[in-house]
Amino acid sequence: MSNPTLLYSIVDAFTSTSFSGNPASVIILPPSHHSLSTESLLQIAAEFNLSETAFLIPQPSTSPGTLRYGLRWFTPTVEVPLCGHGTLASARAIFSTPEGQQVDRLEFETLSGTLVAKKVPGGAGKIELDFPVTTLEDLTSADELTQASEVVSAAVGGIVSVRGVRKAGLFLLVEVDPGFDLERAVVDVSPFSTLPFGAIIVTSSRPTSFRPGARFISRVFAPQSGVAEDPVCGSAHCALAPYWSQALNIQPGEVIEARMASKRGGDLDLIWEKESGRVRIRGSAVITMRGEMYL
C-alpha cells in the first residue's frame, strides 16, 4: 500500500519575482486528512522548515463569488495566531486553481477571526488582505526602554539610537534613527531571545534604493518562534501601518508604500482604516514550486 500523499505549493509572498519575498508552503488538505492532529501539522511544518506553512480546509461558501476556507499557520516550532505572508501565499495558491480563477474573493476562518483576501482590480495581479489593526502601547517603564535599546545595540554590534518603542500584541516595535543602515546591518538575533515578546520589529524611515517610494523600512526577528529573521512579515504591518501613519502624519485611507529590508526583501502597500480598526495589505505573490509530500 502506498503512503498517503499531500499536494503542496511553495509561494513567494510580497514579491513579483521568484526567489525573493517570503516563501511559504501551502497545503489544501483533502477530506481524508481534515482530522490531522496539531502534532502532525507541526511535524509537516518542521519538515518544510520555512517561516510558515499554511494548512487550508475548504468550507461551504456563504455568498456567491466567494470561496471559504479554514486556515492555520505554523512555524517550524509553533502555531501562530496571525500570518500575513502565509495568508497571501494561500490566496495566490487558491486563485491559481480552476475554481479560484472563477472568484474574486476569499474568506479564511482563523484564530484571528474571519480574514478576507480579494483580487485588486487593475492591480497587476496584486491581492489585498483585510487584517485587524494591532493596538500600540507605550512602554512606561524606564527600565524596559533601556533594556530594549541595549538589546537592539547588542544585536547589531554597536550603539544604535532608538527613537521609539511600542508594545504591539506579540511584537515589540522599535524605531531606530534613519542614520543607522538597517538594510545592511548584520544582526545577531540571540539577544532578542531575552525579551518577553514573540517577535521584534526594527523599523526606520531611512530611504531605500530598492523601493524609492517607500515611507519606511523594517526587519522582523523571531528566534523565540523558531524563525531567526522573517524575510517579509505581513502581520507586523498591522502595527507598522498605524505607527508610521501617526509618526509621518499620513492620513487614514492613504496608500503607504513599505519595504521589508531583509536579504530577500519584499514590498507591501498598506491602507490604515482607522475608524474600522483594520489594515488593508496589498502585495504580489508567485508560485515557485509544486510537489507531493508522503506521510
Side-chain angles (χ1 to χ4, degrees):
M1 180 181 294
S2 60
N3 291 333
T5 301
L6 293 179
L7 303 180
Y8 68 85
S9 299
I10 304 296
V11 184
D12 289 346
F14 295 113
T15 180
S16 57
T17 306
S18 297
F19 317 124
S20 59
N22 199 353
S25 176
V26 179
I27 297 175
I28 302 175
L29 293 170
S32 58
H33 289 76
H34 286 184
S35 61
L36 276 178
S37 67
T38 295
E39 181 182 3
S40 295
L41 299 180
L42 273 169
Q43 289 176 331
I44 293 169
E47 185 72 13
F48 281 109
N49 200 32
L50 297 174
S51 59
E52 300 291 345
T53 295
F55 296 95
L56 294 148
I57 294 180
Q59 297 183 352
S61 178
T62 57
S63 58
T66 299
L67 296 177
R68 192 163 170 263
Y69 292 81
L71 173 58
R72 297 173 71 181
W73 312 276
F74 291 81
T75 77
T77 60
V78 297
E79 182 173 10
V80 296
L82 185 65
C83 176
H85 90 276
T87 307
L88 182 63
S90 296
R92 169 54 64 218
I94 295 167
F95 281 142
S96 72
T97 66
E99 187 179 25
Q101 291 172 9
Q102 304 304 311
V103 302
D104 296 320
R105 187 176 185 274
L106 306 173
E107 290 182 352
F108 298 112
E109 299 303 322
T110 77
L111 290 177
S112 293
T114 301
L115 305 178
V116 173
K118 60 184 181 181
K119 299 173 183 175
V120 177
K126 285 187 176 180
I127 296 169
E128 179 179 283
L129 310 178
D130 182 347
F131 272 31
V133 161
T134 300
T135 302
L136 299 171
E137 301 177 53
D138 292 329
L139 287 184
T140 56
S141 165
D143 289 342
E144 288 179 316
L145 290 168
T146 298
Q147 183 189 21
S149 180
E150 289 177 346
V151 165
V152 171
S153 294
V156 301
I159 301 300
V160 177
S161 176
V162 172
R163 302 184 65 172
V165 183
R166 301 286 189 277
K167 294 178 182 178
L170 298 175
F171 294 98
L172 181 70
L173 188 158
V174 181
E175 180 192 351
V176 297
D177 190 275
F180 173 67
D181 193 349
L182 176 62
E183 198 161 31
R184 292 176 176 81
V186 177
V187 178
D188 172 13
V189 302
S190 57
F192 291 131
S193 298
T194 65
L195 296 173
F197 294 91
I200 312 300
I201 305 168
V202 184
T203 186
S204 166
S205 59
R206 184 183 178 92
T208 171
S209 60
F210 288 99
R211 196 179 195 195
R215 304 298 297 273
F216 65 89
I217 62 174
S218 56
R219 294 173 68 178
V220 172
F221 307 95
Q224 304 92 322
S225 300
V227 180
E229 180 170 4
D230 199 346
V232 189
C233 183
S235 59
H237 290 77
C238 295
L240 287 163
Y243 179 84
W244 282 111
S245 292
Q246 294 167 357
L248 300 176
N249 197 28
I250 299 171
Q251 296 304 305
E254 182 180 341
V255 177
I256 310 166
E257 294 185 24
R259 173 75 181 175
M260 285 290 296
S262 66
K263 183 177 180 179
R264 289 178 65 99
D267 298 321
L268 308 89
D269 296 333
L270 312 170
I271 302 173
W272 177 35
E273 302 287 1
K274 183 177 181 179
E275 295 302 319
S276 63
R278 309 292 292 184
V279 176
R280 288 152 57 195
I281 304 172
R282 294 175 179 173
S284 300
V286 292
I287 297 174
T288 60
M289 190 187 310
R290 288 192 173 101
E292 298 179 343
M293 169 175 274
Y294 307 109
L295 301 183

